[in-house]
Amino acid sequence: MNCQEVMEYMQRELDGDLGDIESAKLREHIRRCADCAEMYERLQRLSAELENLPKVTPPFSLVDAILPKLEEIDRAAAGGGTGADGQPAGAEGIGEKTGSAPAAPRRRISRFNLRVLGGVVAAGIVAGVFLVTYDRDRLEEDMIGNRALELASSGSASSDASGSSEPAIMFGTVSESFDAMNVADQYGMETSADAANAGDSSPTGQEASPTSGVGYKFVPDRGEAGGTDSGTGSGADAGTDVYASPGADAAPGSGTENAELLEAPVAQRGESGDGAEMPAVGVIQDIVDLRKELAASSVESVSPDGSYVAVFADSRVIIYDRNGNTRFEGEEREGAIAAYGWTEDGGFFRYEIRRGDGTGETYRIDPAAGTETREP
Amino acid sequence: MVEPSLIRAAREGDREALITLLRKIETHVYRTAYYLVGNEQDAMDAAQEALIRIYTKIGSYEEKAQFKTWVQRIVTNICIDKFRRNKPTVSIEEHEMVFEGRESVEGEVMAACAAKDIREAIDRLPDHHRAVVVLRYLQDFSYNEIADSLDLPLNTVKSYLFRARQQLQVLLRDYQKGGVRG
């Protein structure tokens, strides 16, 4: 047994890790080796001093000191699950935002089909070629409908204090391409029956019978037109919605499940009276009646005779003819579109602008003449 | 030794039990922190942080591990990660050269009581060597418990402890040769 091996024995002995035989070997070596004996003595003394290090205690109770912090942690933990996201619905015209922010888009999505269908019909939006391509997965990925149509509606319409539902549609454009979407028409909008918007709009759309008003709000264009901010709120939803040129021939041939669901009632609403072509309308009307709500609407409105399509986007109204040519491009309007619709003869498109301060006006567009006049 | 029932209650969300548990371990937490970071103020900060972490992470404690090693792991991690930045330590491999070359300086530095000498010497150990020494002598941990606490292999724990003691022994020998202590 050499001195190096003995060194390990000495160390282990200090920790009580040696068996009897090993201890005997160690003692035997130390008896004959003065260097190792001295080393062992020093190590023992060191170990004893280490064991006698002061058993320090904190000068005051650490737990008492951190109790306020612990309570803070508890509060934060408790608040995290129940707190609202603090985003006033009225600010953006988006209802159903009482939950935590990340949950909101999903909830809106889940309500999408029924409310949009009901809302579209109830509002009398006629859109022969209107299709919404709505990709649920993509939307969820993009959270707030970036480059996809996001429709949301509130189920609180029937309990709305005003008795009328006031969907607000938010939309804007994003200068991104929608390559993967494979469609030309994409509209972003958000609707709600937000009470904050209620009470001041009257229906101007000829077919918006079930509702007293349809509120729309333009949202700032994130991608290309910062100047178009209409002041309707610039939350996370703003500017993320998408609309692309809405030519009448731009309907996507293949859509998502939602697009297909929307297709029949929306596209054929204009052919009212032709029951064969609008099998879903009655059902949807029932739903609307039952729920007494107008939940959503379109950002696109086709004239009764199908000659024109009015599109809200970029804080302005644009009217296209059936060939997709622009017939009229309105000025940017600050405020929300509170109501809109075609006159019965299809000759004019009227829309009402409402601002947060309660002021507003109504305009009438004559697409044939390419003019817009403000109504008294 | 903390009662398993108290630990279990704390894990299951009994806040009072958890607070009681923290009170029982706060001295142990502080003591390790004190010898790892080398001064009272940092030790207070580190120990409080460790207690808060224990408070928030108690749910992640698994009973298959010893509670005391779990606690010591938390406090040593905090001390080493946060409170030992930029502290000079000696290379354990070079200790002979380092300490012999600085014999007279060390002799002056080590002019106080033995405990202070050792504390200063401990403070100069590399982090994990120091942690092994602290757990061995201040927490009376076994090799295995130290290994669990520091997430080190058993042989590494032994190696660190042996090397640390050798270095400390050299330091004390040099100090004693300086004539201050006999």
Side-chain angles (χ1 to χ4, degrees):
Chain A
M1 192 176 194
N2 62 36
C3 292
Q4 189 62 40
E5 290 168 326
V6 168
M7 181 66 174
E8 184 179 328
Y9 270 41
M10 289 190 282
Q11 293 271 9
R12 289 174 55 200
E13 177 71 4
L14 296 175
D15 299 321
D17 194 45
L18 281 192
D20 290 346
I21 297 172
E22 292 168 317
S23 286
K25 282 184 181 175
L26 173 62
R27 283 193 294 276
E28 173 66 19
H29 181 91
I30 287 173
R31 232 188 341 263
R32 294 182 284 105
C33 179
D35 285 349
C36 283
E38 186 192 342
M39 172 63 81
Y40 186 52
E41 190 191 329
R42 282 203 301 268
L43 283 174
Q44 282 182 306
R45 193 160 57 224
L46 167 72
S47 193
E49 290 185 8
L50 288 168
E51 280 169 2
N52 288 326
L53 279 169
K55 301 291 188 281
V56 294
T57 56
F60 53 84
S61 167
L62 299 176
V63 173
D64 285 347
I66 61 171
L67 274 179
K69 260 184 195 167
L70 300 184
E71 283 162 11
E72 206 172 290
I73 289 167
D74 288 342
R75 272 198 303 276
T82 59
D85 64 0
Q87 201 164 13
E92 295 187 78
I94 298 166
E96 295 297 302
K97 296 202 70 166
T98 55
S100 60
R106 187 175 296 272
R107 186 161 56 240
R108 286 198 293 270
I109 287 161
S110 67
R111 296 164 178 257
F112 175 79
N113 290 338
L114 178 64
R115 299 184 187 289
V116 168
L117 289 174
V120 164
V121 172
I125 302 305
V126 181
V129 293
F130 173 60
L131 285 174
V132 173
T133 295
Y134 172 81
D135 183 328
R136 184 185 302 258
D137 292 332
R138 172 174 298 275
L139 183 57
E140 290 185 3
E141 285 169 15
D142 294 352
M143 283 305 290
I144 318 183
N146 188 9
R147 60 169 83 163
L149 169 62
E150 178 178 7
L151 292 171
S153 66
S154 164
S156 64
S158 56
S159 62
D160 194 320
S162 72
S164 65
S165 54
E166 293 288 337
I169 296 182
M170 302 184 68
F171 48 92
T173 67
V174 170
S175 62
E176 297 173 2
S177 63
F178 322 115
D179 46 343
M181 298 303 287
N182 201 26
V183 293
D185 286 2
Q186 295 181 39
Y187 303 93
M189 59 185 179
E190 297 207 353
T191 69
S192 80
D194 177 12
N197 293 327
D200 61 354
S201 58
S202 56
T204 58
Q206 301 301 306
E207 301 181 21
S209 48
T211 176
S212 66
V214 182
Y216 301 92
K217 284 193 173 183
F218 290 130
V219 297
D221 181 330
R222 180 180 62 183
E224 58 187 279
T228 65
D229 188 329
S230 57
T232 57
S234 57
D237 296 296
T240 59
D241 301 325
V242 170
Y243 132 80
S245 72
D249 55 348
S254 68
T256 64
E257 57 190 75
N258 299 301
E260 288 158 7
L261 270 167
L262 277 173
E263 185 168 6
V266 173
Q268 295 168 4
R269 181 64 180 92
E271 311 294 324
S272 57
D274 186 344
E277 286 188 42
M278 45 184 301
V281 169
V283 175
I284 293 164
Q285 189 62 55
D286 286 346
I287 293 168
V288 171
D289 289 342
L290 278 170
R291 298 176 70 92
K292 295 178 180 172
E293 68 175 322
L294 168 64
S297 187
S298 171
V299 294
E300 186 178 68
S301 177
V302 177
S303 65
D305 63 1
S307 298
Y308 302 107
V309 181
V311 173
F312 309 135
D314 210 0
S315 298
R316 73 182 77 208
V317 175
I318 301 174
I319 306 223
Y320 301 89
D321 64 19
R322 66 173 78 227
N323 297 318
N325 300 314
T326 301
R327 299 300 297 263
F328 173 79
E329 184 168 354
E331 294 175 26
E332 289 177 18
R333 302 289 182 201
E334 184 182 340
I337 287 201
Y340 69 92
W342 291 89
T343 55
E344 232 158 354
D345 61 4
F348 300 95
F349 179 78
R350 298 170 72 240
Y351 66 101
E352 181 182 2
I353 289 286
R354 281 281 164 194
R355 285 177 290 273
D357 60 5
T359 61
E361 53 275 328
T362 301
Y363 297 90
R364 172 191 291 251
I365 296 171
D366 179 351
T371 60
E372 179 181 72
T373 54
R374 180 176 169 180
E375 294 188 349
Chain B
M1 182 65 187
V2 182
E3 306 84 24
S5 59
L6 182 64
I7 298 169
R8 202 167 301 125
R11 274 190 63 204
E12 289 165 358
D14 182 340
R15 187 174 185 276
E16 284 310 308
L18 182 49
I19 298 290
T20 304
L21 185 60
L22 293 182
R23 291 192 192 283
K24 282 181 179 288
I25 64 174
E26 73 168 22
T27 297
H28 293 286
V29 169
Y30 172 77
R31 195 168 290 158
T32 293
Y34 178 83
Y35 283 100
L36 285 182
V37 301
N39 70 80
E40 187 178 291
Q41 189 53 56
D42 282 350
M44 294 290 286
D45 292 345
Q48 289 183 35
E49 187 171 337
L51 290 169
I52 290 170
R53 194 173 295 180
I54 290 163
Y55 183 85
T56 57
K57 302 285 186 190
I58 187 71
S60 69
Y61 164 66
E62 295 174 13
E63 283 183 16
K64 64 186 180 188
Q66 276 199 78
F67 184 67
K68 66 176 183 179
T69 59
W70 183 73
V71 167
Q72 292 297 324
R73 176 185 292 212
I74 288 173
V75 66
T76 53
N77 280 341
I78 288 173
C79 289
I80 290 172
D81 291 348
K82 287 196 165 179
F83 290 88
R84 290 294 298 189
R85 296 270 177 249
N86 304 319
K87 278 236 179 182
T89 58
V90 294
S91 163
I92 203 87
E93 277 71 37
E94 297 175 316
H95 66 88
E96 289 289 343
M97 185 189 73
V98 169
F99 284 105
E100 284 176 4
R102 301 179 57 182
E103 193 170 337
S104 61
V105 176
E106 295 294 340
E108 291 168 20
V109 169
M110 301 287 174
C113 68
K116 183 165 181 288
D117 295 339
I118 293 185
R119 282 215 299 272
E120 290 183 4
I122 290 171
D123 208 36
R124 297 191 53 151
L125 292 173
D127 288 338
H128 283 92
H129 292 74
R130 186 175 59 260
V132 169
V133 169
V134 168
L135 294 180
R136 162 70 180 81
Y137 286 101
L138 277 306
Q139 302 296 339
D140 288 322
F141 275 14
S142 67
Y143 295 151
N144 275 314
E145 288 166 344
I146 296 169
D148 287 347
S149 299
L150 301 179
D151 206 13
L152 292 172
L154 190 61
N155 282 335
T156 304
V157 168
K158 288 186 192 178
S159 169
Y160 282 7
L161 180 60
F162 297 173
R163 283 164 177 261
R165 271 196 300 236
Q166 253 187 297
Q167 178 168 339
L168 293 171
Q169 168 273 134
V170 169
L171 185 65
L172 289 178
R173 183 193 63 189
D174 295 342
Y175 169 67
Q176 288 156 10
K177 276 181 181 172
V180 178
R181 202 170 44 169

